[in-house]
């Protein structure tokens, strides 16, 4: 299973267009890359060709140009808060802000996250994915996992 197959499944199940699905999946993968450091996250990325590239394309910790995030005041505040809290807490906060800036609501974010995690379990195995998810406090609440 590669990242394109996962994108197709997430798009279908979450009812999102391709560009929005790509951004949502890339953002969630970026959150995992930053937040789950020290776990088996490298194993996850190794099991899904193209996933690490997508995570880095939508890097939640990349510096956004002024006014470029599309998140308005909320986006500015969460980016500032994320930066102040450090990388671990900031990645999740920035990821949620990025997803909301695309116009996704909480239900769509949870559907995309749940579908992505189900597909990741198929590709990398449930033990790998469960360890990663358990290592990221707050992930379950925001992504419905």
């Amino acid at each position: 299973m590669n990242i394109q197959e996962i994108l197709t499944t997430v798009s279908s199940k979450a009812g999102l267009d391709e560009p929005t699905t790509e951004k949502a999946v890339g953002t969630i993968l970026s959150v995992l890359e930053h937040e789950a450091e020290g776990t088996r996250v490298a194993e996850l990325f190794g099991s899904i060709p193209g996933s690490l590239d997508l995570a880095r394309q939508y890097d939640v910790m990349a510096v956004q140009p002024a006014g470029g995030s599309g998140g308005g005041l909320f986006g500015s505040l969460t980016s500032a808060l994320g930066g102040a809290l450090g990388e671990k807490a900031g990645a999740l906060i920035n990821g949620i802000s990025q997803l909301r800036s695309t116009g996704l609501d909480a239900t769509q974010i949870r559907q995309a996250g749940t579908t992505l995690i189900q597909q990741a379990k198929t590709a990398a195995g449930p033990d790998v994915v469960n360890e990663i998810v358990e290592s990221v406090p707050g992930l379950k609440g925001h992504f419905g996992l």
Side-chain angles (χ1 to χ4, degrees):
M1 176 177 305
N2 64 35
I3 195 62
Q4 189 56 52
E5 293 169 309
I6 290 175
L7 290 171
T8 299
T9 301
V10 172
S11 177
S12 173
K13 289 194 175 194
L16 304 174
D17 62 34
E18 287 182 39
T20 303
T21 301
E22 183 178 295
K23 183 168 187 174
V25 170
T27 299
I28 295 167
L29 289 171
S30 178
V31 168
L32 293 177
E33 179 186 18
H34 290 285
E35 293 268 351
E37 187 178 12
T39 67
R40 296 166 72 183
V41 73
E43 196 173 332
L44 170 68
F45 286 123
S47 298
I48 306 170
S51 60
L52 184 57
D53 291 336
L54 189 63
R56 292 188 174 161
Q57 181 179 343
Y58 293 99
D59 188 353
V60 296
M61 298 306 289
V63 176
Q64 297 289 325
S69 69
L73 179 60
F74 179 74
S76 298
L77 290 173
T78 56
S79 291
L81 180 60
L85 291 173
E87 183 170 340
K88 284 246 176 227
L92 182 59
I93 291 168
N94 288 348
I96 296 300
S97 178
Q98 271 185 218
L99 291 170
R100 291 209 172 136
S101 76
T102 64
L104 295 176
D105 62 30
T107 301
Q108 291 169 311
I109 292 170
R110 278 192 297 277
Q111 182 65 51
T114 300
T115 304
L116 170 59
I117 294 302
Q118 289 169 345
Q119 294 296 299
K121 285 179 179 180
T122 300
D127 291 342
V128 171
V129 176
N130 288 338
E131 178 185 316
I132 293 166
V133 170
E134 292 297 323
S135 77
V136 183
L139 190 66
K140 289 181 180 184
H142 290 291
F143 297 116
L145 308 176

